[in-house]
Amino acid sequence: MALNRRDFLKSSAAVAAASAVGITIPQEAQAKAKEAESDWRWDKAACRFCGTGCGIMLATKEGRIVAVKGDPAAPVNRGLNCIKGYFNAKIMYGADRLKTPLLRMNDKGEFDKHGKFKPVSWQRAFDEMEKYAKKALKASGPEGVAVFASGQYTVMEGYAAQKMMKGGFRSNAIDPNARHCMASAVVGFYQTFGIDEPSGCYDDIEITDTIVTWGSNMAEMHPILWSRVTDRKLSNPDKVKVVNIQTYTHRTCDLGDFNIIFSPNTDLALWNYIAHEIVFNHPEAIDWNFVKENIIFTAGPTNIGYGMRRAGEKSLKDGKYSAKEMETISKEMSKKISAKEAPALAPYGYKEGDVMKNTAGTLKHWKISFEEYKKSLEPFTLDYVAKIAKGDPNESIDSFKKKLQDLVALYVEKGRKVVSFWTMGMNQHTRGTWVNTLSYNVHFLLNKQALPGNGAFSLTGQPSACGTAREVGTFCHRLPADLMVKNPKHRAKAEKIWGLPAGTLNPVGNQHIMKIHRDIEDGVVKFAWVNVCNAYQDSASAKHWIKAAREMDNFIVTSDGYPGISAMVSDLVLPSAMIYEKWGAYGNAERRTQHWRQQVLPVGDAMSDTWQWMEFSKRFTVKDLWGPYTLRNGKKLADVRADAKKMGYNDDTTMYEILYANKGKKYKIDLNKFPQKGYDNSDCIGDKRKVLGGDGKEAKGCGFMVHQYLFEEYASFGRGHGHDLAPFEVYHKVRGLKWPVVDGKETQWRFNVKYDPYAAKAVKKSGSKSTHAFYGPLAKNILQGTLKGPDKKLGKYALPNKAKIFARPYMDPPEMPDENYDTWLCTGRVLEHWHSGTMTMRVPELFRAVPEALCYMHPKDAKIKGLKRGELAWVESRRGKVKARVETRGRNRPPQGLVFIPWFDEKVFINKVCLDATCPMSKQTDYKKCAVKITKA
């Protein structure tokens, strides 16, 4: 029977989907599918969306992706995709895909900040970027040039961007949107383990007996992992228990044996309650052999503020913040201790009514005794915690207490394996670092960490927040493989690998993503480039940053596939190649690195971000960038031009030559060799589109295998240091590997002598017989003291191979419901859409499924406020207001007093309402709690 093209595709897709779930396929259907696929080319790739890291298979035909299916050989998803995953191809083919650079211009063809967007060449685009970047450097030095980076960069893109920013511009003002999603987890890892990234892996799901989710809607945010959790639960429903600890009921709760709905921020109290019960009422559950061998107890300051603007900052002095906004911001400087938090702070010397004077967040901490740690837990009795933490006013206190007791029983049960998963609920938190460390406390006391089926496990939100933002080091304070810009030895290592004169790198790395926004508003940053994110939609207190970008003396550039809010705010928009239009690699939440090849050519004149960075770097020379600078804090950056000449460079040597071409040229193009054979490579050899590049000539590529070069050079930072990656070509043969990859073998459970060769090596070297070695090198020589502070007389304490348990109390967030703003607001995502919706809102099937962001609220709250399901309501905070349609049914079921509004919909611009308070230690924004009022629109 003859089939048209549409029927061909449909039958092939149906067969692929049915095969993935084990359905027997009729022979006729199989034959049709085989005929449809006869001239398709299938290749493996990684999914574009969340941090799960699913493997997919892509079919291309005649230069276009025609089908997507789950990769049966991928160990993460085993052939399954979530609903977004099946539409990986369609995100690339939206009607309004950006195809050429767009510059705001007047009728004379001149740049005009208030002009309309008009198409320009790549050459003109880079001309304008060069002009305004040099203007910014002249006005503010390296701190005046900034990049909003991304956890969605490929590894190579992030590494290329970091080299030019830190090695070229000498600017550390590059920070990823991953700051918003997992910075608290990172600082938690650093403070606890001395090294970043999880100790466990997804295999824990099939091994464990207990899954506890903390502030994580895995069913929608990590649906493939949740399918594995569901399978584990159904495999032994009596033994395997699932508990969900959330501020509102959602789809993840549907599988729970019981669910705990808590009041926002009191997860701090819940973790301390579990530890209290272990220490005071179940001391037999403590594995003292493990604790004494591997753990010390620590404390840090409590008066660290909330990561908001501080007194004396220019925009505060200039009156850019309203009196209502200042009601909250004033708590950054000092706050009065409330009745709710006073008992928790009593061991630290505070009582109700005291004024706590805050100092900007610090990472300092010191060793304390177990007895001091025990004192910190004394307030967290069942009665106190139940009183402050119960989040559903319609639940009885007795019911809530029983759930807390049942939760403790699961954790302490001897022989019961427990995995604690969390995502944004614990990370987007004004005490996000604290609550992350508190999770490890419980697991350490019980010796249920870094063991198969046991562990506290942070699930990352973005596809390469781990692989690019963290491991590559595209944070303002980091370099690759856990190196830090403030450490002179680390800078020296990077300078050597990058071929830079000694002293080139800037030691001051404090321009995190919210500070970049604030620095633009203060007039310090005058050139900002948005890469692979939507910085003006994804940041809280958004109206401030948009106003500053549009009205102040600056030049804002956005590279994107589609015209989102950030593009609309910008002065120049660059069309970026999307994921399968370029070579790339991602690193997922279980330390798995995956690579893919370019499947198709980019649309129009779009080019990859790697290409954009290399082209931009050609505009800057040693003479332009490597002279002397004085930073805002008085720190001086040396003039390194003379030393550059000693290395063989001259005044006119470009950053492209130094940072990319000089060392990259040894990586040859060989189109007859795997993995290059048969695949496009626009960055390296150009393509048939004959795009005119930054010099006005045909872009014929760099002439070397830049993807391999960037990956291998980046990997050299970590090899031999616990971050080992396999060779570039290996990743094109496998479905990813979990680092450290030692002798060709991946590591499943870090710090465990049985599974981690670095742990085994550390234990052997120390001569101990420990089962674990927490070998991370950061913060392993600290002061000693009590809960109330360090005592220098006691000297420092070295803790090689040890991890830390932290004493950290419950504290109120800076903004809570009151008589004027009586409702908690929580934001987040939904299954069908990714982040700001820039891609998924352009997929017809996903748009039809969820066409707008809704205001989910309790039916009783709607009735009290005179609202009905489907009606529009105003949601207003001290910062702004938006209209949203009320929903009182469905997937998200908040308790009374709380509403949930996702942030994917630019027409329901909820981040205008949210507060830009952060964890002062990690600088991660708290999107999960602020106070609003809701009225009929």
Side-chain angles (χ1 to χ4, degrees):
M1 180 179 72
L3 288 174
N4 62 33
R5 181 177 180 278
R6 184 179 179 84
D7 290 337
F8 264 42
L9 294 175
K10 287 172 69 176
S11 16
S12 180
V15 168
S19 299
V21 294
I23 298 174
T24 302
I25 313 300
Q27 286 188 345
E28 183 181 1
Q30 290 185 46
K32 290 178 181 177
K34 188 173 181 179
E35 183 182 355
E37 297 181 22
S38 61
D39 56 353
W40 292 4
R41 181 188 70 186
W42 287 98
D43 196 26
K44 73 176 183 71
C47 179
R48 173 62 181 80
F49 297 111
C50 77
T52 300
C54 293
I56 62 172
M57 296 296 291
L58 297 170
T60 54
K61 179 182 179 180
E62 298 173 358
R64 191 176 174 93
I65 298 175
V66 295
V68 180
K69 63 183 179 182
D71 184 354
V76 172
N77 54 312
R78 306 165 186 179
L80 290 177
N81 281 349
C82 78
I83 187 64
K84 291 190 296 296
Y86 285 111
F87 291 106
N88 265 289
K90 280 199 172 184
I91 63 173
M92 295 169 24
Y93 301 125
D96 60 344
R97 178 76 189 272
L98 294 169
K99 297 179 180 179
T100 188
L102 300 170
L103 178 68
R104 290 187 183 273
M105 292 193 290
N106 59 26
D107 293 339
K108 298 178 183 179
E110 302 164 330
F111 167 65
D112 185 339
K113 197 164 180 72
H114 303 292
K116 293 183 178 180
F117 284 118
K118 296 179 182 179
V120 294
S121 66
W122 277 107
Q123 184 178 28
R124 174 68 187 281
F126 286 121
D127 285 347
E128 298 292 341
M129 290 175 69
E130 176 188 354
K131 175 182 176 180
Y132 286 98
K134 287 179 177 177
K135 181 180 176 182
L137 284 167
K138 186 176 181 180
S140 302
E143 293 165 302
V145 176
V147 171
F148 293 104
S150 180
Q152 299 166 62
Y153 271 143
T154 67
V155 167
M156 298 76 155
E157 287 169 342
Y159 187 66
Q162 163 158 248
K163 288 190 76 175
M164 182 57 195
M165 281 297 290
K166 295 178 181 174
F169 288 123
R170 309 177 78 180
S171 172
N172 292 324
I174 174 172
D175 210 57
N177 62 350
R179 176 75 69 175
H180 291 318
C181 81
M182 34 49 61
S184 296
V186 173
V187 181
F189 283 123
Y190 280 149
Q191 293 223 314
T192 303
F193 300 101
I195 192 171
D196 193 12
E197 303 278 5
S199 56
C201 62
Y202 298 159
D203 295 344
D204 287 327
I205 295 171
E206 282 74 29
I207 300 169
T208 194
D209 308 311
T210 317
I211 296 99
V212 186
T213 69
W214 292 76
S216 174
N217 186 0
M218 285 180 70
E220 293 200 54
M221 305 312 125
H222 297 85
I224 295 302
L225 294 184
W226 195 242
S227 73
R228 290 174 62 171
V229 169
T230 302
D231 185 62
R232 175 62 182 140
K233 170 65 177 173
L234 296 179
S235 70
N236 192 347
D238 293 331
K239 171 69 172 177
V240 177
K241 300 299 179 185
V242 175
V243 183
N244 301 293
I245 303 172
Q246 318 291 343
T247 58
Y248 65 96
T249 303
H250 45 59
R251 283 179 171 172
T252 299
C253 299
D254 295 341
L255 188 67
D257 289 275
F258 61 94
N259 303 303
I260 295 172
I261 304 301
F262 68 93
S263 179
N265 234 53
T266 61
D267 45 0
L268 292 159
L270 295 176
W271 278 115
N272 275 310
Y273 164 71
I274 300 170
H276 172 279
E277 291 300 292
I278 293 168
V279 169
F280 285 90
N281 296 324
H282 298 279
E284 74 286 350
I286 301 174
D287 187 332
W288 277 111
N289 289 332
F290 172 83
V291 171
K292 289 177 180 178
E293 186 74 32
N294 297 288
I295 307 295
I296 69 161
F297 297 90
T298 49
T302 56
N303 60 330
I304 57 177
Y306 299 99
M308 296 183 285
R309 279 195 174 276
R310 294 193 63 80
E313 293 186 10
K314 188 175 187 301
S315 290
L316 293 187
K317 292 194 293 185
D318 289 349
K320 293 183 178 180
Y321 289 77
S322 69
K324 287 183 178 179
E325 289 177 291
M326 291 306 299
E327 290 174 5
T328 301
I329 293 172
S330 65
K331 295 177 184 175
E332 176 62 25
M333 279 55 78
S334 65
K335 60 161 287 175
K336 186 177 288 187
I337 303 300
S338 72
K340 185 175 181 179
E341 64 192 345
L345 288 167
Y348 301 83
Y350 293 96
K351 63 181 183 301
E352 182 182 351
D354 283 355
V355 174
M356 176 184 280
K357 293 184 178 180
N358 293 322
T359 303
T362 175
L363 300 178
K364 291 179 181 178
H365 54 277
W366 49 89
K367 180 182 180 294
I368 60 172
S369 67
F370 171 71
E371 290 305 315
E372 283 289 297
Y373 172 67
K374 190 173 180 179
K375 284 181 189 176
S376 78
L377 298 177
E378 284 180 5
F380 294 98
T381 63
L382 180 61
D383 286 343
Y384 171 61
V385 173
K387 179 181 177 182
I388 68 169
K390 186 171 76 72
D392 182 355
N394 296 310
E395 181 178 13
S396 73
I397 193 72
D398 290 338
S399 168
F400 189 75
K401 284 182 176 180
K402 183 171 187 308
K403 290 177 182 178
L404 297 186
Q405 291 171 317
D406 290 345
L407 177 66
V408 169
L410 291 173
Y411 274 103
V412 302
E413 182 182 328
K414 188 174 179 61
R416 172 172 284 278
K417 298 181 178 70
V418 184
V419 174
S420 303
F421 285 121
W422 69 90
T423 45
M424 298 309 107
M426 276 174 49
N427 290 347
Q428 292 174 344
H429 196 304
T430 52
R431 291 294 182 267
T433 299
W434 285 12
V435 75
N436 269 261
T437 58
L438 290 176
S439 70
Y440 300 117
N441 292 0
V442 169
H443 283 267
F444 281 151
L445 287 169
L446 301 170
N447 190 9
K448 294 186 178 184
Q449 182 68 33
L451 290 164
N454 275 310
F457 197 131
S458 165
L459 292 173
T460 308
Q462 296 188 84
S464 204
C466 291
T468 306
R470 292 157 75 168
E471 284 305 300
V472 170
T474 55
F475 285 90
C476 65
H477 63 292
R478 289 179 70 162
L479 293 163
D482 282 344
L483 303 187
M484 300 293 167
V485 299
K486 71 177 182 180
N487 187 313
K489 291 181 179 179
H490 293 181
R491 294 196 304 277
K493 179 175 180 176
E495 287 163 348
K496 182 178 181 181
I497 291 173
W498 290 350
L500 308 178
T504 301
L505 293 179
N506 181 345
V508 180
N510 59 14
Q511 286 176 281
H512 56 86
I513 200 164
M514 291 313 303
K515 185 161 178 56
I516 291 173
H517 277 306
R518 293 167 188 169
D519 280 349
I520 293 173
E521 188 177 46
D522 288 349
V524 176
V525 169
K526 294 184 178 296
F527 177 94
W529 190 359
V530 180
N531 285 189
V532 207
C533 68
N534 198 347
Y536 285 93
Q537 187 176 341
D538 70 21
S539 296
S541 296
K543 71 175 186 180
H544 281 280
W545 325 131
I546 290 175
K547 184 176 182 180
R550 293 302 312 130
E551 297 181 6
M552 296 185 69
D553 178 21
N554 52 48
F555 191 78
I556 310 296
V557 184
T558 290
S559 294
D560 207 340
Y562 290 103
I565 286 179
S566 294
M568 294 298 98
V569 166
S570 296
D571 302 301
L572 173 66
V573 181
L574 304 179
S576 285
M578 293 183 71
I579 179 167
Y580 310 118
E581 297 170 341
K582 58 194 177 187
W583 290 66
Y586 279 162
N588 79 345
E590 64 166 354
R591 296 172 279 107
R592 181 180 299 277
T593 308
Q594 301 181 82
H595 286 234
W596 66 89
R597 296 179 280 201
Q598 183 176 341
Q599 302 297 314
V600 293
L601 297 183
V603 302
D605 287 348
M607 297 297 284
S608 79
D609 289 73
T610 300
W611 180 88
Q612 292 176 37
W613 274 104
M614 290 195 297
E615 286 294 293
F616 192 41
S617 72
K618 294 174 182 178
R619 301 299 188 102
F620 300 90
T621 65
V622 167
K623 183 179 179 181
D624 293 330
L625 301 183
W626 285 359
Y629 294 103
T630 301
L631 304 179
R632 279 179 289 181
N633 67 355
K635 178 74 178 180
K636 295 184 182 298
L637 299 184
D639 185 335
V640 296
R641 289 174 293 189
D643 289 335
K645 291 175 183 177
K646 294 176 184 177
M647 298 175 70
Y649 308 138
N650 60 54
D651 280 346
D652 296 323
T653 306
T654 67
M655 291 299 124
Y656 171 74
E657 295 171 86
I658 296 170
L659 298 173
Y660 307 111
N662 282 354
K663 293 187 177 182
K665 287 177 181 177
K666 73 177 184 180
Y667 293 88
K668 304 298 183 182
I669 296 293
D670 188 344
L671 300 180
N672 294 313
K673 181 182 176 183
F674 178 86
Q676 299 176 43
K677 186 177 181 180
Y679 287 83
D680 292 309
N681 199 333
S682 300
D683 291 343
C684 300
I685 59 174
D687 59 55
K688 65 182 181 181
R689 295 175 302 153
K690 300 185 184 299
V691 174
L692 299 181
D695 58 0
K697 301 176 183 178
E698 181 184 337
K700 294 185 178 181
C702 61
F704 57 92
M705 190 59 180
V706 68
H707 318 292
Q708 185 175 9
Y709 158 59
L710 291 171
F711 182 79
E712 290 293 345
E713 185 179 273
Y714 147 64
S716 70
F717 279 87
R719 288 177 178 146
H721 304 283
H723 296 261
D724 305 65
L725 295 165
F728 177 83
E729 289 187 3
V730 168
Y731 287 105
H732 286 282
K733 298 175 182 178
V734 299
R735 266 56 176 184
L737 294 168
K738 296 187 287 287
W739 62 264
V741 181
V742 180
D743 297 328
K745 297 178 181 179
E746 64 180 2
T747 299
Q748 290 176 288
W749 290 277
R750 293 170 85 198
F751 315 124
N752 187 313
V753 169
K754 186 176 179 180
Y755 301 97
D756 183 346
Y758 278 95
K761 181 180 177 181
V763 166
K764 183 178 180 180
K765 184 178 179 181
S766 71
S768 79
K769 296 181 180 180
S770 178
T771 56
H772 291 74
F774 299 101
Y775 51 78
L778 297 176
K780 289 299 181 77
N781 191 23
I782 60 175
L783 292 171
Q784 303 180 68
T786 68
L787 290 175
K788 295 179 181 179
D791 184 348
K792 292 183 179 180
K793 295 177 183 177
L794 297 175
K796 286 194 170 183
Y797 182 88
L799 51 144
N801 298 327
K802 290 183 183 287
K804 300 165 191 167
I805 284 177
F806 281 87
R808 278 167 171 164
Y810 164 77
M811 287 187 72
D812 295 337
E815 188 171 274
M816 302 171 73
D818 57 24
E819 62 275 12
N820 296 316
Y821 300 91
D822 60 354
T823 301
W824 288 108
L825 168 67
C826 178
T827 65
R829 293 198 281 118
V830 294
L831 169 65
E832 294 82 358
H833 290 295
W834 173 248
H835 278 202
S836 62
T838 313
M839 295 181 291
T840 52
M841 286 288 272
R842 287 165 171 83
V843 175
E845 294 86 347
L846 298 177
F847 176 79
R848 286 195 297 269
V850 183
E852 63 180 323
L854 302 173
C855 176
Y856 291 92
M857 65 190 307
H858 195 281
K860 289 183 180 178
D861 280 346
K863 186 175 181 180
I864 291 168
K865 297 176 188 302
L867 296 166
K868 294 180 181 178
R869 181 175 181 246
E871 289 184 340
L872 288 171
W874 283 111
V875 181
E876 181 177 357
S877 74
R878 292 171 171 84
R879 291 153 294 282
K881 63 180 183 178
V882 296
K883 280 183 186 177
R885 201 171 302 281
V886 172
E887 178 57 89
T888 57
R889 304 179 191 171
R891 64 178 78 182
N892 298 307
R893 292 147 276 167
Q896 279 190 266
L898 183 145
V899 295
F900 172 78
I901 303 175
W903 67 280
F904 67 86
D905 187 353
E906 63 185 37
K907 294 174 183 173
V908 183
F909 193 175
I910 196 61
N911 278 331
K912 291 194 298 183
V913 177
C914 293
L915 174 66
D916 65 316
T918 73
C919 168
M921 301 170 76
S922 71
K923 320 304 182 189
Q924 179 167 353
T925 310
D926 188 340
Y927 296 93
K928 299 303 182 183
K929 56 195 81 76
C930 71
V932 298
K933 60 183 176 184
I934 300 170
T935 55
K936 196 166 186 175

